[in-house]
Amino acid sequence: MRTLYGYFRSSAAYRVRIALNLKQLECEHKAVNLIPGVSEQKSDAYRAINPQGRVPYFIDGDVKLSQSPAILEYLDEVYPDVPLLPEGAANRAYVRQLANIIACDIHPLNNLAVLGKLKGEFGADDALVKKWYGDWITEGFTALEKIVSGSAHTGEFCFGDTPGLADLYLVPQMYNARRFNVDTGPFPTLERIDASCNTLEPFIKALPENQPDAPKA
Amino acid sequence: MRTLYGYFRSSAAYRVRIALNLKQLECEHKAVNLIPGVSEQKSDAYRAINPQGRVPYFIDGDVKLSQSPAILEYLDEVYPDVPLLPEGAANRAYVRQLANIIACDIHPLNNLAVLGKLKGEFGADDALVKKWYGDWITEGFTALEKIVSGSAHTGEFCFGDTPGLADLYLVPQMYNARRFNVDTGPFPTLERIDASCNTLEPFIKALPENQPDAPKA
């Protein structure tokens, strides 16, 4: 049996949820409450599961993994029926490049631990933290929009007309951009692809607000 | 012909240099001076090559790639003779997990653009920036040491007795840790693996100080 430790708002867990849904893989979801003050991820009980004290953490029989990029590559290798990566090394490299811009150049700078440190140790107020958050999204999305809008690979989705790896990085990051009121108007291609994804059941089912641990509206 | 745009101190470029050396692939190296004030990566000339204005950027015939994780996966798929990843999906996932802890949880927080923003917009002094730098290394290395020291996969290197993907993330990050006087004593397994790597020609040749754009001592 598969288990995913996540948090409704964790965009790294959100990526993995989309992948599991696209591949129609059953999985038990266990919520780890990351909200500052609760910080269940730092508990001894959770650190006994994942010593790094982060989500997502994925268990598939004997395989136990942290780090969403590693989890996603694993899922694509072991459950290839609905592939996340295209055929051909150059195509795969192109898609991974798009994913990495989000995974390495945007998301790590926007996670809760980072924002907490800026507020605490750097004494930053909410406005400055919000600017930091938006600046990294804007810089990364500017590069991404330029690449995707100019690429012959782009179709309804980041690579052709089937949703894949780059899309499941894009959608959670766009979700965060909207949540923090970052202007996504300068990124029309990314907006269009995000909208396409969000009409699909695997993406809708993975939305933060559709998780059991999301606060009821 | 292959071309790598890099910078002697960029640890993402350093990773790719090690991979090229391990695989004995000839490559032209072009230096992009990232030093604040020069910032050649932001020039129109360089942005015409890589619109994201970052290094590394790798060209292999028609294939043009930013993002070191994508470049490394590409190299391993196209030039598999000296593999960076082991056999078996679970083993590959394990190695990618180690690499991702550095690629996503440490390195993005320590790059020059981030440090510049902390000094500029957040008014942080050198001591606070140095603490930030060290804190992310210490947190990530603590997780990595716990995993690697407890894993049956660990040999002379992160995975068995052949250097591979996780090692070429580890070595540049250890190099940076030393440069910023971060105490690596609590990470004896990582120190031991790093020392093993640094006896090997492909790693020595890739050292920042051995690059043509490094200032002469």
Coordinates of all heavy atoms in Angstrom, one line a residue, chain A residues 76-121:
Chain A
D76 N 7.3 7.8 -12.2 CA 7.2 7.7 -13.7 C 8.0 6.4 -14.1 O 7.7 5.9 -15.2 CB 7.8 8.9 -14.3 CG 7.1 9.3 -15.6 OD1 5.9 9.0 -15.7 OD2 7.8 9.8 -16.5
E77 N 9.0 6.0 -13.4 CA 9.7 4.8 -13.8 C 9.0 3.5 -13.4 O 9.0 2.6 -14.2 CB 11.1 4.8 -13.1 CG 12.1 5.9 -13.6 CD 13.5 5.6 -13.0 OE1 13.7 4.7 -12.3 OE2 14.3 6.5 -13.3
V78 N 8.3 3.6 -12.3 CA 7.7 2.3 -11.8 C 6.3 2.1 -12.3 O 5.8 1.0 -12.5 CB 7.7 2.3 -10.2 CG1 7.0 1.1 -9.7 CG2 9.2 2.3 -9.8
Y79 N 5.6 3.3 -12.6 CA 4.2 3.2 -13.1 C 4.2 4.0 -14.4 O 3.6 5.1 -14.5 CB 3.3 3.8 -12.1 CG 3.4 3.1 -10.7 CD1 4.1 3.8 -9.7 CD2 2.9 1.9 -10.5 CE1 4.2 3.2 -8.4 CE2 3.0 1.2 -9.2 CZ 3.7 1.9 -8.2 OH 3.8 1.3 -7.0
P80 N 4.7 3.4 -15.5 CA 4.9 4.2 -16.7 C 3.6 4.3 -17.6 O 3.7 4.9 -18.7 CB 6.0 3.5 -17.4 CG 5.9 2.0 -17.0 CD 5.3 2.1 -15.6
D81 N 2.5 3.7 -17.2 CA 1.4 3.6 -18.1 C 0.9 5.0 -18.5 O 0.5 5.2 -19.7 CB 0.2 2.8 -17.5 CG 0.5 1.3 -17.5 OD1 1.5 0.9 -18.1 OD2 -0.3 0.6 -16.9
V82 N 0.8 5.9 -17.6 CA 0.5 7.3 -18.0 C 1.8 8.1 -17.8 O 2.1 8.5 -16.6 CB -0.6 7.9 -17.1 CG1 -1.0 9.3 -17.5 CG2 -1.9 7.0 -17.2
P83 N 2.6 8.2 -18.8 CA 3.9 8.8 -18.6 C 3.9 10.3 -18.3 O 3.0 11.1 -18.8 CB 4.7 8.6 -19.9 CG 3.6 8.4 -20.9 CD 2.4 7.8 -20.2
L84 N 4.7 10.8 -17.4 CA 4.9 12.2 -17.1 C 5.9 12.8 -18.0 O 5.9 14.0 -18.2 CB 5.3 12.4 -15.6 CG 4.3 11.8 -14.6 CD1 4.9 12.0 -13.2 CD2 2.9 12.5 -14.7
L85 N 6.9 12.0 -18.4 CA 8.0 12.6 -19.3 C 7.8 12.0 -20.7 O 7.3 10.9 -20.9 CB 9.3 12.1 -18.7 CG 9.8 12.9 -17.5 CD1 10.9 12.1 -16.8 CD2 10.3 14.2 -17.9
P86 N 8.1 12.8 -21.7 CA 8.0 12.4 -23.1 C 9.1 11.4 -23.5 O 10.0 11.2 -22.8 CB 8.1 13.7 -23.8 CG 8.9 14.6 -23.0 CD 8.7 14.2 -21.6
E87 N 8.9 10.9 -24.7 CA 9.9 10.1 -25.3 C 11.1 11.0 -25.8 O 10.9 12.1 -26.2 CB 9.4 9.4 -26.6 CG 8.3 8.4 -26.4 CD 8.8 7.1 -25.8 OE1 9.9 6.6 -26.3 OE2 8.3 6.5 -24.9
G88 N 12.3 10.4 -25.7 CA 13.5 11.1 -26.2 C 14.2 11.9 -25.2 O 13.6 12.7 -24.5
A89 N 15.5 11.7 -25.1 CA 16.3 12.4 -24.1 C 16.3 13.9 -24.1 O 16.2 14.6 -23.1 CB 17.8 11.9 -24.1
A90 N 16.3 14.4 -25.4 CA 16.3 15.9 -25.5 C 14.9 16.5 -25.0 O 14.9 17.5 -24.4 CB 16.6 16.3 -26.9
N91 N 13.9 15.7 -25.3 CA 12.5 16.2 -24.9 C 12.4 16.1 -23.4 O 11.9 17.0 -22.7 CB 11.4 15.3 -25.6 CG 11.4 15.6 -27.0 OD1 11.8 16.6 -27.5 ND2 10.8 14.6 -27.8
R92 N 12.9 15.0 -22.8 CA 12.8 14.9 -21.4 C 13.7 16.0 -20.7 O 13.2 16.5 -19.7 CB 13.4 13.5 -20.9 CG 12.3 12.4 -21.1 CD 12.8 11.1 -20.4 NE 13.9 10.5 -21.1 CZ 13.8 9.7 -22.2 NH1 12.7 9.4 -22.7 NH2 14.9 9.2 -22.7
A93 N 14.8 16.3 -21.3 CA 15.7 17.3 -20.7 C 14.9 18.7 -20.7 O 15.0 19.4 -19.8 CB 17.0 17.4 -21.4
Y94 N 14.3 18.9 -21.8 CA 13.5 20.2 -22.0 C 12.5 20.3 -20.9 O 12.3 21.3 -20.2 CB 12.9 20.2 -23.4 CG 11.9 21.4 -23.5 CD1 12.4 22.7 -23.7 CD2 10.5 21.2 -23.4 CE1 11.5 23.8 -23.8 CE2 9.6 22.3 -23.6 CZ 10.1 23.5 -23.8 OH 9.3 24.6 -23.9
V95 N 11.7 19.2 -20.7 CA 10.6 19.2 -19.7 C 11.2 19.4 -18.3 O 10.7 20.1 -17.4 CB 9.8 18.0 -19.8 CG1 8.8 17.8 -18.6 CG2 9.0 18.0 -21.1
R96 N 12.3 18.6 -18.0 CA 12.9 18.7 -16.7 C 13.5 20.1 -16.4 O 13.4 20.6 -15.3 CB 14.1 17.7 -16.5 CG 13.6 16.3 -16.4 CD 14.8 15.4 -16.1 NE 14.4 14.0 -15.9 CZ 14.7 12.9 -16.7 NH1 15.5 13.1 -17.8 NH2 14.3 11.7 -16.4
Q97 N 14.0 20.8 -17.5 CA 14.4 22.1 -17.3 C 13.3 23.1 -16.9 O 13.5 23.9 -15.9 CB 15.0 22.6 -18.7 CG 15.3 24.1 -18.8 CD 15.5 24.5 -20.2 OE1 16.6 25.0 -20.5 NE2 14.5 24.3 -21.1
L98 N 12.1 22.9 -17.5 CA 11.0 23.7 -17.0 C 10.6 23.4 -15.6 O 10.4 24.4 -14.8 CB 9.8 23.5 -17.9 CG 9.9 23.7 -19.4 CD1 8.6 23.4 -20.1 CD2 10.4 25.1 -19.8
A99 N 10.6 22.2 -15.3 CA 10.3 21.8 -13.9 C 11.3 22.3 -12.9 O 10.9 22.8 -11.8 CB 10.2 20.3 -13.8
N100 N 12.5 22.3 -13.3 CA 13.6 22.7 -12.4 C 13.6 24.2 -12.1 O 14.0 24.7 -11.0 CB 15.0 22.4 -12.9 CG 15.3 20.9 -12.9 OD1 16.1 20.4 -13.7 ND2 14.6 20.1 -12.1
I101 N 13.1 25.0 -13.1 CA 13.1 26.4 -12.9 C 12.1 26.7 -11.7 O 12.4 27.5 -10.8 CB 12.6 27.2 -14.1 CG1 13.7 27.1 -15.2 CG2 12.2 28.6 -13.8 CD1 13.3 27.7 -16.6
I102 N 11.0 25.9 -11.6 CA 10.1 26.1 -10.5 C 10.7 25.4 -9.2 O 10.7 26.0 -8.1 CB 8.7 25.5 -10.8 CG1 8.1 26.4 -11.9 CG2 7.8 25.5 -9.6 CD1 6.8 25.9 -12.5
A103 N 11.2 24.2 -9.4 CA 11.6 23.4 -8.2 C 12.8 24.0 -7.5 O 13.0 23.8 -6.3 CB 11.9 21.9 -8.6
C104 N 13.7 24.6 -8.3 CA 15.0 25.1 -7.7 C 15.0 26.6 -7.6 O 15.7 27.1 -6.7 CB 16.2 24.6 -8.6 SG 16.3 22.8 -8.7
D105 N 14.4 27.3 -8.5 CA 14.6 28.8 -8.5 C 13.5 29.6 -8.0 O 13.6 30.8 -7.7 CB 14.9 29.3 -10.0 CG 16.2 28.7 -10.5 OD1 17.0 28.2 -9.8 OD2 16.4 28.8 -11.8
I106 N 12.3 28.9 -7.8 CA 11.2 29.7 -7.2 C 10.8 29.0 -5.8 O 10.9 29.7 -4.8 CB 9.9 29.6 -8.1 CG1 10.2 30.3 -9.5 CG2 8.8 30.4 -7.4 CD1 9.1 30.2 -10.5
H107 N 10.4 27.8 -5.9 CA 9.7 27.2 -4.7 C 10.6 27.2 -3.4 O 10.0 27.5 -2.4 CB 9.2 25.8 -5.1 CG 8.5 25.1 -3.9 ND1 9.1 24.0 -3.3 CD2 7.4 25.4 -3.2 CE1 8.3 23.7 -2.3 NE2 7.3 24.5 -2.3
P108 N 11.9 26.9 -3.5 CA 12.6 26.8 -2.3 C 12.7 28.1 -1.5 O 12.9 28.2 -0.3 CB 14.0 26.4 -2.7 CG 13.8 25.7 -4.0 CD 12.7 26.4 -4.7
L109 N 12.5 29.2 -2.3 CA 12.6 30.6 -1.7 C 11.3 31.0 -1.0 O 11.3 32.0 -0.3 CB 13.1 31.6 -2.7 CG 14.5 31.2 -3.3 CD1 14.7 31.8 -4.6 CD2 15.5 31.7 -2.3
N110 N 10.3 30.3 -1.4 CA 8.9 30.7 -0.9 C 8.4 29.7 0.2 O 7.2 29.9 0.5 CB 8.0 30.7 -2.1 CG 8.2 31.8 -3.0 OD1 9.1 32.6 -2.8 ND2 7.4 32.0 -4.1
N111 N 9.2 28.8 0.7 CA 8.5 27.9 1.6 C 8.4 28.5 3.0 O 9.0 29.5 3.3 CB 9.2 26.5 1.6 CG 10.4 26.3 2.4 OD1 10.6 27.1 3.3 ND2 11.2 25.3 2.1
L112 N 7.6 27.9 3.8 CA 7.3 28.5 5.1 C 8.5 28.7 6.0 O 8.5 29.7 6.7 CB 6.3 27.5 5.9 CG 4.8 27.7 5.5 CD1 4.0 26.6 6.2 CD2 4.3 29.1 5.9
A113 N 9.4 27.8 6.0 CA 10.6 27.9 6.9 C 11.4 29.2 6.5 O 11.9 29.9 7.3 CB 11.5 26.7 6.7
V114 N 11.5 29.4 5.2 CA 12.2 30.6 4.7 C 11.5 31.9 5.1 O 12.1 32.8 5.6 CB 12.4 30.5 3.2 CG1 12.9 31.8 2.6 CG2 13.3 29.4 2.8
L115 N 10.2 31.9 4.9 CA 9.4 33.1 5.2 C 9.5 33.4 6.7 O 9.6 34.5 7.2 CB 8.0 33.0 4.7 CG 7.8 32.6 3.3 CD1 6.3 32.6 2.9 CD2 8.5 33.6 2.3
G116 N 9.5 32.3 7.5 CA 9.5 32.4 9.0 C 10.9 33.0 9.4 O 10.9 33.9 10.3
K117 N 11.9 32.6 8.7 CA 13.3 33.1 9.1 C 13.4 34.6 8.7 O 14.0 35.4 9.4 CB 14.3 32.3 8.3 CG 15.7 32.2 9.0 CD 16.5 31.2 8.2 CE 17.9 31.1 8.7 NZ 18.0 30.3 10.0
L118 N 12.8 35.0 7.6 CA 12.9 36.4 7.2 C 12.1 37.3 8.2 O 12.6 38.4 8.5 CB 12.2 36.6 5.8 CG 13.0 35.9 4.6 CD1 12.2 36.1 3.3 CD2 14.4 36.6 4.4
K119 N 11.0 36.8 8.7 CA 10.2 37.6 9.7 C 11.0 37.6 11.0 O 11.0 38.6 11.6 CB 8.8 36.9 9.8 CG 7.9 37.2 8.7 CD 6.5 36.6 9.0 CE 5.7 36.6 7.7 NZ 4.4 35.9 7.9
G120 N 11.5 36.4 11.4 CA 12.1 36.3 12.7 C 13.5 37.0 12.7 O 13.6 38.1 13.2
E121 N 14.4 36.3 12.1 CA 15.8 36.8 12.2 C 16.1 38.1 11.5 O 17.0 38.8 11.9 CB 16.8 35.7 11.8 CG 16.7 34.5 12.7 CD 17.7 33.4 12.2 OE1 18.8 33.7 11.7 OE2 17.4 32.2 12.4

